[in-house]
Amino acid sequence: MNYCSHCGSAVTLRLPEGDNRLRYTCQQCGRIHYQNPRIVAGCLPVHGDRVLLCRRAIEPRYGYWTLPAGYMENGESTEEAALRETLEEARAKVELRQLYTLTSIIHVNQVQLIYLANLPHAEFGSSNETLESRLFSEDEIPWDELAFTTIRNALQYYFADRKASPPAFPLRHIALSPDQDDLILVK
Amino acid sequence: MNYCSHCGSAVTLRLPEGDNRLRYTCQQCGRIHYQNPRIVAGCLPVHGDRVLLCRRAIEPRYGYWTLPAGYMENGESTEEAALRETLEEARAKVELRQLYTLTSIIHVNQVQLIYLANLPHAEFGSSNETLESRLFSEDEIPWDELAFTTIRNALQYYFADRKASPPAFPLRHIALSPDQDDLILVK
């Protein structure tokens, strides 16, 4: 950040009164420009005993497999964001079951919310962000070709949790630090 | 937003290629400036049969009672944000139990996360954002002087959930729209 988005003057990093962090502050109009984590919302769509993955058509991790997920927008709920991203990226209409993973990805300033979802009909497709979508049974999951650590975590939890009797899917609450993030996660 | 924070040129609202929403876009350097919801994290601190509330020393809702909560910062997890805000606003050291409410406050582009927490010692105080902190039993809660609808919801759920036998505190997942938000919530 170099300039004030309100008045166009130069900003500098300063410590506002009563604050304990440096903030980009406008030297002209005095506005403080806070920077905060963003929310990524998505789904783990389940159809029978298979889950739906998308192969990425965009960087980072072009060609790798992921769950449908993306940045939450202003003016929507987290559930609406998860449904929208699943429709946009996988062309799939799902029914949300529950929030399943909440991951703070500390080194990229993101909080990722993945909802467990039912995919009632095996209808899905590609998009400008997705080369192809496909249903995978547990033994078909391309573990070495997954895009992100958070996606691998969600899938590992899911296949473990559904083996419980009765199957139980408690919220998985995760803080992911850089040393735990062995799959490349570039901003 | 009027100017590009990168190069200082004027921005206009445009529809980027492949997008379906208008975005502030720089006419000079082409940068797209996305705007996304922010996360508010906080605690519902419990000490014995009482809960800790803070009386706000800042607008909006100066003088009204709230739970300790505030904007999540870059470089921290949601749990760290909740602990930090509780320490900063209430001067209270708590132990997190679990995520308890997740509220999408759609009309102000916020997602609020409230953690159920234990306050082991009755130690708390005031701060530059808090006139005073105080423990309240259920029949002492100042229901007509609460700052925000989300806080009232969390307290109502808490006192109901702890009456279950055994007490159970499932995640409360809420989407709050303007017509449901009868307490003033100003950005």
Side-chain angles (χ1 to χ4, degrees), chain B:
Chain B
M1 183 176 292
N2 303 305
Y3 298 95
C4 175
S5 57
H6 180 74
C7 78
S9 301
V11 293
T12 52
L13 276 173
R14 296 178 65 177
L15 187 68
E17 197 185 321
D19 203 340
N20 50 22
R21 286 170 190 251
L22 294 173
R23 312 284 183 182
Y24 287 106
T25 307
C26 180
Q27 297 173 292
Q28 191 65 33
C29 76
R31 269 183 178 70
I32 302 168
H33 299 279
Y34 295 94
Q35 295 180 308
N36 303 87
R38 291 202 285 176
I39 295 170
V40 172
C43 285
L44 194 168
V46 178
H47 180 77
D49 71 339
R50 292 182 294 171
V51 302
L52 187 68
L53 298 181
C54 302
R55 201 153 69 87
R56 289 173 65 83
I58 51 174
E59 294 292 350
R61 304 292 276 166
Y62 180 99
Y64 286 78
W65 293 91
T66 190
L67 292 169
Y71 287 117
M72 181 179 176
E73 299 277 4
N74 283 350
E76 66 183 0
S77 69
T78 55
E79 298 97 321
E80 288 167 342
L83 290 170
R84 177 182 53 71
E85 289 289 344
T86 306
L87 189 59
E88 285 178 3
E89 295 192 353
R91 307 289 181 212
K93 288 184 184 175
V94 296
E95 300 159 354
L96 297 188
R97 286 166 59 181
Q98 71 215 63
L99 181 61
Y100 186 47
T101 64
L102 185 160
T103 310
S104 299
I105 317 173
I106 295 173
H107 43 301
V108 292
N109 304 316
Q110 289 180 9
V111 174
Q112 189 192 73
L113 306 175
I114 297 291
Y115 288 83
L116 203 55
N118 293 327
L119 176 69
H121 307 290
E123 294 167 5
F124 43 83
S126 61
S127 70
N128 58 356
E129 298 183 29
T130 300
L131 298 169
E132 60 176 319
S133 298
R134 219 187 100 187
L135 290 169
F136 292 85
S137 62
E138 182 176 1
D139 58 10
E140 295 171 331
I141 296 284
W143 294 107
D144 293 333
E145 294 166 51
L146 295 180
F148 305 114
T149 303
T150 54
I151 304 304
R152 190 178 60 194
N153 287 344
L155 291 170
Q156 285 176 337
Y157 281 127
Y158 173 71
F159 290 116
D161 285 348
R162 80 174 187 186
K163 291 187 177 75
S165 71
F169 302 94
L171 174 65
R172 301 296 185 163
H173 204 294
I174 305 153
L176 190 65
S177 56
D179 57 308
Q180 300 163 315
D181 195 359
D182 59 324
L183 302 182
I184 299 160
L185 186 49
V186 186
K187 249 312 258 305

Side-chain angles (χ1 to χ4, degrees), chain A residues 42-53 67-68 79 82-84 86-87 90-100 114-124 135 158 162 167 169:
Chain A
C43 286
L44 195 168
V46 178
H47 180 77
D49 70 340
R50 293 181 294 171
V51 302
L52 187 69
L53 299 180
L67 293 169
E79 297 96 320
L83 290 171
R84 179 183 50 74
T86 305
L87 190 59
R91 306 289 181 213
K93 288 185 184 173
V94 297
E95 300 159 353
L96 297 188
R97 287 165 58 182
Q98 71 213 66
L99 180 62
Y100 186 46
I114 297 291
Y115 288 83
L116 204 54
N118 293 327
L119 176 68
H121 306 290
E123 293 168 5
F124 42 81
L135 290 169
Y158 173 71
R162 81 174 186 185
F169 302 94

Side-chain angles (χ1 to χ4, degrees), chain A residues 159-175:
Chain A
F159 290 115
D161 285 347
R162 81 174 186 185
K163 291 187 179 73
S165 73
F169 302 94
L171 174 65
R172 300 296 185 163
H173 204 294
I174 305 153

